[in-house]
Amino acid sequence: MYKLIQLFNDDPFSQKIISTCSELGIPFKLSQVSAEELHSGAFPVKTDSVFLVNREILDTYYPQLLGASLTGFFVYVYTGDNDIDHCSGSDFLFDHYLPYDFSGLNMKCMFSTTRKAFGQPGQAMIQIPKKLIDSSLNQIMQLIDDVDMGIFWKDEKGTYIGCNKKFASDFGKYEARKIIGKTNSDLLNEKEAKKFSVHEPEILKTGGQFTGIEKEIIFNEGNRMRLLISKYPFHNVEGKIKGVFGFYKPVSKEKGQNIDFYSNENLLRILMDNIPDTIYFKDRESRFIMVNKAQAALIGLKTPEDAIGKTDFDFFNLEHSKEAFADEQRIIFDGKPINRLEYVGTKDGKFRWLNSTKVPFFDANGHVVGIVGITRDVDKMIRVEHKLKAERDLLQLLMDNIPSPIYFKDHDSRFTRVNKALVMLLGAKSQEEVLGKTDFDFYPEENARDYQSDEVKIIEKNLPLINKIEKNIPYSGEALRWFSTTKIPIKNEEGDLAGIIGVSHDVTEQILVKQNLELAKERAESASAAKSSFLSNMSHEIRTPMNGVVGMAEVLQMTELTDDQKKMVDLIIRSGNNLLNLINDILDFSKIENGKMVIENQPFDVKTTIKEVEEMMEFSAEEKGISFYSKIDTNMPERVIGDSFRFKQILINLVSNAIKFTREGEVVIEADFIGNSVDSHCIVFKVCDTGIGISEKEQENLFEAFTQADQSSTRKYGGTGLGLAICNRLVDMMGGKLQVESEKGRGSVFYFDLNFKKVLINHYD
């Protein structure tokens, strides 16, 4: 089958070729390929292809056609005599001429010429020798010398077998014939020779072609020149590669002067040298044939050219080099790419994490001729990942050793991370059994719905849930437990709410204790209420007959009685009054304990109240032969707002105790005005005596109910121990504090301060 390649775009012409070949029964395959593809090397020039070229293509791509014509069969399509005359200086390029309005005979003639050149369709044709022989050698050389580019050809050993005048001039001011027999090492220093020889081993091995290679060459004379180089293989009569044909042209320093700047080769080089990933090409023996700057830096080279022809064994440790070589040979054998994470050590002993991808590349016949590798330095990322993993493991270890359940959930309330405590609570066997599930998989629906509702609100409102007490009834059948749960919203890397973190503390014991305390409190309050009710009822039941007894005794006292009878009646009256006072104290204390005591706020005169107490207790003091009086501050306000009855009760109790425990000396009531504020007066009250005194130890429990300083006092002086307790509670309810200063055998001072509201005009309304 003949392969026809049309290099110009003309659909009617293409359709005519198809119809004519079909009518003549000629086996063929027609392809339209742009001249740019041929120029860039994207479409290889094969020895069994027929290329159709018109005048426009000849004018635009003449230098490229010059090289390509040495390895391809070229047909010139002309439209008239002008096109024939136009290509008269380039007729050695073409193997046949075909009129644009060709006939079937013209087509048969073209294929006859093609058959003679190819031998048979699919066989290798004679390349350079045929064209050089079929044309005048002097004419060809004259044409090559007139081209404004360096042209050269070498044998398979790298020895020059020909060049044009420009090449000879650029490489040492030689005559062209004196270049023959020399190599790059004869014309350039070692480094520059290696640069100018780039890709030649690969061309000789694979038959590939390279165009648009941009290199800066420093010639022996010291002058520099940036060249855009293209290289192609040429073959002998058997179709074997016998050397390299190449040409170059200087790259203009002015922007936009060089259209070859946009060639695929040049753009690839720019990309390779500026990408941070390492890129390299290797032949079938795993030798480097091209590397970028990043790869050169990785293996410790100054320039990419220094890597050409070397292998991994020259740069990496033996273990990695063997493994890389085995991978690459496997790719060449089966044509399958690989990707792997490698921990690579260089010869200097440094190790790095690299992510390597290696893929095969093929020749025109689909054979693997080498590999392309791309390596990304992921050392920092892997080390960060290892550090993060260590931190995650440490966090998991910490979580697993905390007895409280800890868990993370996603936006849909699915568990994403849990600790062992939660796994045990849910009755699961492992953490993996919990991950990805929800509370509905472990709890009754009612409880799970409550948990989910809380989590939806947390995420929607971005507000935490703090210390919520929750019932926990898992499917595992364990007893009811109580947890104090805190749930906090968490955000992802973009700052969006992504889920919650929860911590639950088992507070079952505290809840049970609290419930027991509440139950005990209810029972105590019930018992206290029953006691108060009992005391109230009993006091009323006792008070009624006692009032009768005292009243009848007072009536009896008014009759004529003997002295003994009078003493007995007086004893009955005193005993009855004492019993009534005791009942009153018990009732007051009961009211205070049950919170039923109410402090009134009415205007009263402090001086008058103190004097009334003084008058009431004066007889008792006289009976014991002690002095009793009061000292009232002259700055005392006339009237204040307060509870005069309870204030009077406090003073009576304190004075009564003072008289009771004083055998000689005096009892004094003192009232000192301290000062006032915008709406109140502050007054300090003291009851001083010269009685038996109270020790420091006895003072500790002095104001507790049913307590006296000395238990023997009960027998000697009488009393129930309720008086001071009632006084202390009343002073506290009125906003003050009852205190005592005393020494054993040296008397006592009971004092308290009260803030009374000022009397305003409206209090008299």
Side-chain angles (χ1 to χ4, degrees):
M1 178 181 290
Y2 295 100
K3 298 178 182 177
L4 302 180
I5 312 298
Q6 183 178 325
L7 295 181
F8 56 93
N9 187 17
D10 190 327
D11 290 338
F13 182 78
S14 302
Q15 292 298 323
K16 186 175 181 181
I17 287 181
I18 294 171
S19 60
T20 303
C21 289
S22 299
E23 291 174 1
L24 296 175
I26 299 173
F28 76 99
K29 178 181 179 182
L30 176 65
S31 301
Q32 273 200 15
V33 176
S34 67
E36 287 83 355
E37 291 183 80
L38 182 69
H39 165 54
S40 66
F43 188 87
V45 179
K46 297 184 179 181
T47 59
D48 58 353
S49 300
V50 177
F51 292 87
L52 304 177
V53 179
N54 64 2
R55 177 175 176 174
E56 180 183 359
I57 298 300
L58 175 64
D59 291 343
T60 305
Y61 295 98
Y62 172 75
Q64 289 73 27
L65 296 177
L66 178 64
S69 68
L70 294 176
T71 56
F73 189 91
F74 277 72
V75 175
Y76 185 63
V77 179
Y78 62 93
T79 57
D81 293 339
N82 289 336
D83 287 351
I84 297 293
D85 295 338
H86 184 75
C87 76
S88 60
S90 307
D91 55 354
F92 78 97
L93 293 175
F94 300 109
D95 299 276
H96 191 77
Y97 292 82
L98 180 69
Y100 182 82
D101 54 348
F102 62 87
S103 64
L105 182 61
N106 295 136
M107 188 61 65
K108 282 184 178 182
C109 183
M110 184 188 76
F111 281 114
S112 176
T113 306
T114 303
R115 187 163 47 252
K116 291 178 181 179
F118 288 169
Q120 291 296 330
Q123 294 182 357
M125 72 181 221
I126 300 173
Q127 298 293 332
I128 291 178
K130 173 183 181 300
K131 296 222 172 171
L132 294 178
I133 293 172
D134 289 348
S135 302
S136 168
L137 183 60
N138 290 332
Q139 185 181 10
I140 293 173
M141 291 307 301
Q142 180 64 43
L143 183 63
I144 291 176
D145 286 338
D146 290 342
V147 176
D148 187 23
M149 61 176 64
I151 300 176
F152 59 92
W153 49 98
K154 302 178 178 182
D155 64 17
E156 55 193 352
K157 295 180 180 180
T159 302
Y160 286 100
I161 57 177
C163 68
N164 69 347
K165 289 181 179 180
K166 179 169 178 55
F167 180 91
S169 176
D170 290 340
F171 279 77
K173 309 300 182 183
Y174 294 107
E175 294 180 10
R177 61 185 178 83
K178 292 185 178 181
I179 295 293
I180 297 173
K182 296 183 182 295
T183 66
N184 285 339
S185 298
D186 299 318
L187 303 176
L188 301 167
N189 63 40
E190 182 180 357
K191 181 178 179 180
E192 300 305 313
K194 184 182 293 186
K195 287 165 60 176
F196 194 72
S197 301
V198 65
H199 297 311
E200 290 177 9
E202 185 179 354
I203 292 172
L204 293 171
K205 187 173 187 63
T206 66
Q209 56 187 12
F210 292 86
T211 62
I213 309 167
E214 187 173 335
K215 296 288 182 184
E216 184 179 61
I217 303 298
I218 303 175
F219 298 100
N220 288 339
E221 292 78 9
N223 57 313
R224 297 170 179 263
M225 188 180 297
R226 181 165 286 280
L227 306 177
L228 200 64
I229 308 168
S230 296
K231 297 181 180 181
Y232 306 86
F234 66 81
H235 307 73
N236 63 10
V237 293
E238 288 82 19
K240 293 182 179 180
I241 298 174
K242 298 302 293 180
V244 174
F245 168 81
F247 60 87
Y248 65 83
K249 61 185 301 184
V251 177
S252 173
K253 294 183 179 180
E254 298 180 10
K255 185 177 180 181
Q257 292 288 317
N258 178 34
I259 60 172
D260 289 332
F261 176 82
Y262 297 103
S263 67
N264 290 345
E265 179 73 18
N266 192 51
L267 294 176
L268 176 61
R269 171 53 65 183
I270 293 173
L271 176 64
M272 287 180 58
D273 285 344
N274 288 278
I275 197 168
D277 295 340
T278 67
I279 303 174
Y280 51 89
F281 296 81
K282 292 183 178 182
D283 61 18
R284 290 180 62 88
E285 280 72 42
S286 291
R287 293 187 297 259
F288 289 107
I289 57 178
M290 179 187 288
V291 302
N292 69 343
K293 291 181 179 179
Q295 175 69 14
L298 176 67
I299 57 182
L301 299 178
K302 293 182 179 179
T303 63
E305 289 75 14
D306 294 337
I308 306 302
K310 297 182 179 180
T311 69
D312 286 336
F313 290 93
D314 296 304
F315 307 108
F316 299 102
N317 61 26
L318 185 60
E319 181 181 357
H320 169 71
S321 300
K322 286 182 177 180
E323 186 177 353
F325 181 79
D327 286 342
E328 291 161 5
Q329 293 305 305
R330 187 165 57 252
I331 293 172
I332 291 171
F333 177 76
D334 60 22
K336 296 180 180 179
I338 64 170
N339 180 274
R340 66 171 51 182
L341 183 66
E342 301 175 314
Y343 192 51
V344 177
T346 53
K347 284 191 171 182
D348 58 5
K350 295 181 180 179
F351 284 81
R352 302 185 69 80
W353 287 99
L354 303 174
N355 187 15
S356 297
T357 298
K358 298 180 182 180
V359 298
F361 66 88
F362 305 86
D363 62 11
N365 298 317
H367 300 137
V368 178
V369 294
I371 66 103
V372 181
I374 302 175
T375 299
R376 174 163 293 180
D377 188 343
V378 293
D379 190 70
K380 289 184 179 179
M381 181 180 70
I382 294 298
R383 294 184 188 278
V384 169
E385 287 182 357
H386 286 173
K387 186 176 180 180
L388 291 175
K389 183 179 183 301
E391 292 179 355
R392 286 195 299 269
D393 293 342
L394 181 61
L395 174 61
Q396 190 64 49
L397 179 64
L398 178 64
M399 288 173 54
D400 287 341
N401 286 276
I402 292 176
S404 298
I406 303 175
Y407 48 90
F408 292 79
K409 293 185 177 183
D410 63 16
H411 197 277
D412 298 317
S413 293
R414 291 187 296 261
F415 290 106
T416 58
R417 192 169 191 174
V418 298
N419 68 343
K420 288 183 178 179
L422 183 67
V423 173
M424 294 176 62
L425 177 66
L426 299 179
K429 295 180 180 179
S430 66
Q431 293 174 342
E432 290 71 20
E433 191 176 333
V434 178
L435 300 182
K437 296 183 180 179
T438 69
D439 289 321
F440 288 93
D441 296 301
F442 302 101
Y443 293 105
E445 184 176 354
E446 181 180 354
N447 296 87
R449 189 177 295 110
D450 290 340
Y451 301 155
Q452 186 185 52
S453 176
D454 287 339
E455 291 159 9
V456 169
K457 292 177 182 177
I458 291 170
I459 294 175
E460 287 181 350
K461 298 182 179 180
N462 191 21
L463 293 174
L465 177 72
I466 306 296
N467 294 334
K468 180 181 179 181
I469 304 300
E470 297 178 330
K471 290 182 180 180
N472 188 286
I473 312 175
Y475 278 141
S476 57
E478 293 184 10
L480 171 66
R481 300 172 73 179
W482 296 85
F483 285 88
S484 175
T485 298
T486 295
K487 297 179 181 179
I488 301 172
I490 54 177
K491 297 180 179 181
N492 58 20
E493 295 177 353
E494 289 75 29
D496 300 324
L497 292 173
I500 62 103
I501 176 175
V503 181
S504 297
H505 299 288
D506 191 336
V507 292
T508 304
E509 291 186 7
Q510 293 92 314
I511 294 296
L512 293 177
V513 169
K514 181 180 178 181
Q515 290 177 346
N516 290 335
L517 287 175
E518 290 176 351
L519 180 60
K521 180 183 177 183
E522 290 177 1
R523 291 177 178 175
E525 290 175 348
S526 178
S528 177
K531 180 189 72 174
S532 299
S533 178
F534 171 76
L535 290 175
S536 178
N537 291 334
M538 288 301 296
S539 63
H540 283 293
E541 292 298 326
I542 295 172
R543 184 184 304 207
T544 300
M546 188 53 62
N547 283 332
V549 171
V550 172
M552 293 305 296
E554 289 175 349
V555 172
L556 181 60
Q557 192 179 35
M558 290 186 290
T559 63
E560 293 184 5
L561 301 172
T562 64
D563 292 338
D564 291 337
Q565 289 174 333
K566 287 182 179 181
K567 289 180 181 179
M568 287 187 285
V569 172
D570 289 340
L571 181 59
I572 292 171
I573 293 173
R574 284 199 299 273
S575 298
N577 287 329
N578 288 338
L579 185 57
L580 288 173
N581 290 335
L582 174 60
I583 292 171
N584 289 334
D585 285 346
I586 291 173
L587 284 175
D588 287 343
F589 188 75
S590 177
K591 287 180 180 179
I592 292 172
E593 273 197 331
N594 289 288
K596 295 182 178 179
M597 178 71 74
V598 178
I599 300 299
E600 302 290 341
N601 285 299
Q602 295 294 331
F604 74 96
D605 189 339
V606 175
K607 295 180 183 178
T608 301
T609 303
I610 294 175
K611 289 300 181 181
E612 288 176 355
V613 173
E614 187 177 351
E615 291 174 358
M616 288 176 61
M617 304 304 296
E618 186 177 9
F619 178 73
S620 298
E622 288 179 355
E623 278 189 324
K624 296 194 68 174
I626 58 176
S627 176
F628 174 51
Y629 60 92
S630 63
K631 296 196 305 185
I632 302 175
D633 195 329
T634 56
N635 294 319
M636 187 69 64
E638 292 186 1
R639 296 179 71 78
V640 296
I641 301 296
D643 193 329
S644 61
F645 179 78
R646 297 303 173 188
F647 171 64
K648 187 175 182 179
Q649 182 180 356
I650 294 169
L651 290 181
I652 290 173
N653 270 327
L654 294 177
V655 171
S656 176
N657 278 346
I659 294 173
K660 182 193 299 183
F661 294 104
T662 302
R663 290 192 295 271
E664 58 183 13
E666 63 181 15
V667 173
V668 181
I669 301 175
E670 295 183 6
D672 296 321
F673 179 68
I674 301 301
N676 57 31
S677 63
V678 177
D679 59 353
S680 64
H681 300 290
C682 181
I683 305 172
V684 174
F685 300 96
K686 298 180 182 178
V687 175
C688 311
D689 66 63
T690 57
I692 61 175
I694 308 168
S695 67
E696 289 186 7
K697 185 177 181 180
E698 292 169 343
Q699 292 176 28
E700 294 177 0
N701 302 318
L702 187 62
F703 297 118
E704 293 184 8
F706 305 104
T707 300
Q708 289 187 332
D710 185 354
Q711 296 301 320
S712 62
S713 299
T714 304
R715 297 187 296 273
K716 187 173 182 179
Y717 298 101
T720 61
L722 282 176
L724 288 179
I726 293 173
C727 290
N728 184 51
R729 302 285 182 89
L730 290 175
V731 170
D732 183 68
M733 293 175 68
M734 296 172 72
K737 183 177 181 181
L738 179 60
Q739 301 180 75
V740 63
E741 294 179 0
S742 180
E743 291 184 26
K744 195 72 172 177
R746 303 191 63 178
S748 304
V749 177
F750 287 85
Y751 62 94
F752 59 95
D753 61 289
L754 295 177
N755 284 313
F756 295 107
K757 291 183 179 180
K758 289 182 177 181
V759 177
L760 303 177
I761 296 176
N762 58 1
H763 287 124
Y764 293 99
D765 293 346

